[in-house]
């Protein structure tokens, strides 16, 4: 039986979606630990029918899919403060989480981050051809996301929400590549928002080793 005030995360340590869940736990003041569990391991295949990470145990529940996990943590342990009560802001929050998950993450993951990871970890030649092919689409997504954050302080509207956590944790690894940094540098509103969100305690507490000063 899980400790009711403890979150056990199973996932890879350097993972966008693991960081999203860690960040929401930090915002909620919920203690957490990670057990390193590769996505394609037998253990994870039992935990997640689509073989993705993270999965979690909390309050005696086994949960997977980050949106469901984050909403559960925020509702059960944080008074729902990361989800706007106002219907229009709530729709904006859901919209920007969907955009980040369904459009930005897949192209950035396959077209930019995985080629860099393979190069850095497996020491294979950098697949610049894959990166070059993906950059126009990534640039288009960044432009759309920048337009939104030019018109409002946070993605859902006036208040910080789950949408800011999803968008930040998906954008930040892009910004950590030279190509992503090059695309983001001229997008001033987006850069300012990244700096602002990057100063939150929950984001600082979940920094990856490559982000440490
Ligand atoms: N829809 C899933 C996506 C999770 C996801 O894509 N996780 C990545 C790591 S950041 C993963 O499991 N990648 C391994 C793979 O796709 O094989 C969620 O929201 O939790």
């Amino acid at each position: 039986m899980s400790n009711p005030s403890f979150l056990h995360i199973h996932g890879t340590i350097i993972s966008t979606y693991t960081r999203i869940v860690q960040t929401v736990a930090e915002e909620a003041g919920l203690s957490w630990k990670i057990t390193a569990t590769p996505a394609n391991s037998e253990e994870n295949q039992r935990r997640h029918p689509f073989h993705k990470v993270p999965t979690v145990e909390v309050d005696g529940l086994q949960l997977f899919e980050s949106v469901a996990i984050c909403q559960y943590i925020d509702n059960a342990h944080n008074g729902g403060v990361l989800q706007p009560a106002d219907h229009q802001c709530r729709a904006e929050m859901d919209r920007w989480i969907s955009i980040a998950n369904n459009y930005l993450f897949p192209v950035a993951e396959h077209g930019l981050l995985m080629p860099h990871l393979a190069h850095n970890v497996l020491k294979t030649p950098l697949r610049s051809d894959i990166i070059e092919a993906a950059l126009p689409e990534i640039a288009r997504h960044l432009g759309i996301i920048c337009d939104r954050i030019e018109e409002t302080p946070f993605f859902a509207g006036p208040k910080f929400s789950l949408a800011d956590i999803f968008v930040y944790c998906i954008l930040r690894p892009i910004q950590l590549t030279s190509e992503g940094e090059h695309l983001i540098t001229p997008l001033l509103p987006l850069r300012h928002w990244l700096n602002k969100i990057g100063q939150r305690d929950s984001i600082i507490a979940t920094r990856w080793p490559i982000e440490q000063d």
Side-chain angles (χ1 to χ4, degrees):
M1 188 71 177
S2 303
N3 180 329
S5 60
F6 190 80
L7 178 74
H8 189 168
I9 303 171
H10 300 260
T12 41
I13 309 292
I14 305 295
S15 144
T16 295
Y17 285 95
T18 299
R19 187 180 189 186
I20 288 170
V21 168
Q22 289 171 270
T23 305
V24 174
E26 286 285 331
E27 289 281 340
L30 182 63
S31 302
W32 54 270
K33 76 165 183 181
I34 300 181
T35 298
T37 311
N40 59 4
S41 63
E42 279 185 21
E43 164 82 12
N44 197 56
Q45 290 177 13
R46 281 192 297 276
R47 292 183 171 277
H48 195 307
F50 295 92
H51 309 169
K52 299 288 184 185
V53 291
T55 66
V56 304
E57 288 156 36
V58 61
D59 301 338
L61 300 170
Q62 297 210 3
L63 300 176
F64 59 85
E65 285 301 299
S66 306
V67 171
I69 296 168
C70 293
Q71 292 192 355
Y72 177 82
I73 295 170
D74 189 46
N75 289 330
H77 294 276
N78 199 28
V81 301
L82 297 175
Q83 302 163 86
D86 174 85
H87 296 318
Q88 188 180 339
C89 292
R90 176 61 193 237
E92 290 290 355
M93 182 190 88
D94 290 343
R95 187 212 313 258
W96 290 101
I97 290 175
S98 287
I99 289 170
N101 284 345
N102 297 322
Y103 308 135
L104 183 60
F105 179 75
V107 66
E109 178 79 346
H110 298 294
L112 181 60
L113 305 175
M114 293 309 284
H116 274 291
L117 191 69
H119 178 62
N120 294 338
V121 176
L122 303 176
K123 307 295 177 202
T124 51
L126 183 64
R127 290 293 306 270
S128 308
D129 55 327
I130 294 179
I131 295 175
E132 287 303 317
L135 286 180
E137 193 179 346
I138 295 172
R140 198 175 79 81
H141 294 347
L142 293 176
I144 293 166
I145 289 168
C146 184
D147 286 347
R148 169 62 180 166
I149 211 58
E150 192 167 10
E151 67 188 25
T152 182
F154 299 101
F155 278 89
K159 284 178 61 187
F160 180 78
S161 78
L162 291 178
D164 299 286
I165 296 175
F166 275 79
V167 176
Y168 182 90
C169 292
I170 290 172
L171 273 183
R172 182 67 179 139
I174 299 173
Q175 192 185 26
L176 290 169
T177 66
S178 55
E179 298 87 353
E181 172 72 9
H182 184 72
L183 292 178
I184 290 172
T185 295
L187 302 175
L188 270 186
L190 190 57
R191 253 176 47 208
H192 288 152
W193 173 87
L194 279 161
N195 288 340
K196 177 173 72 176
I197 302 299
Q199 287 163 21
R200 288 185 79 86
D201 289 345
S202 61
I203 294 292
I204 292 169
T206 58
R207 275 182 186 163
W208 290 344
I210 46 168
E211 294 181 87
Q212 310 295 343
D213 295 329

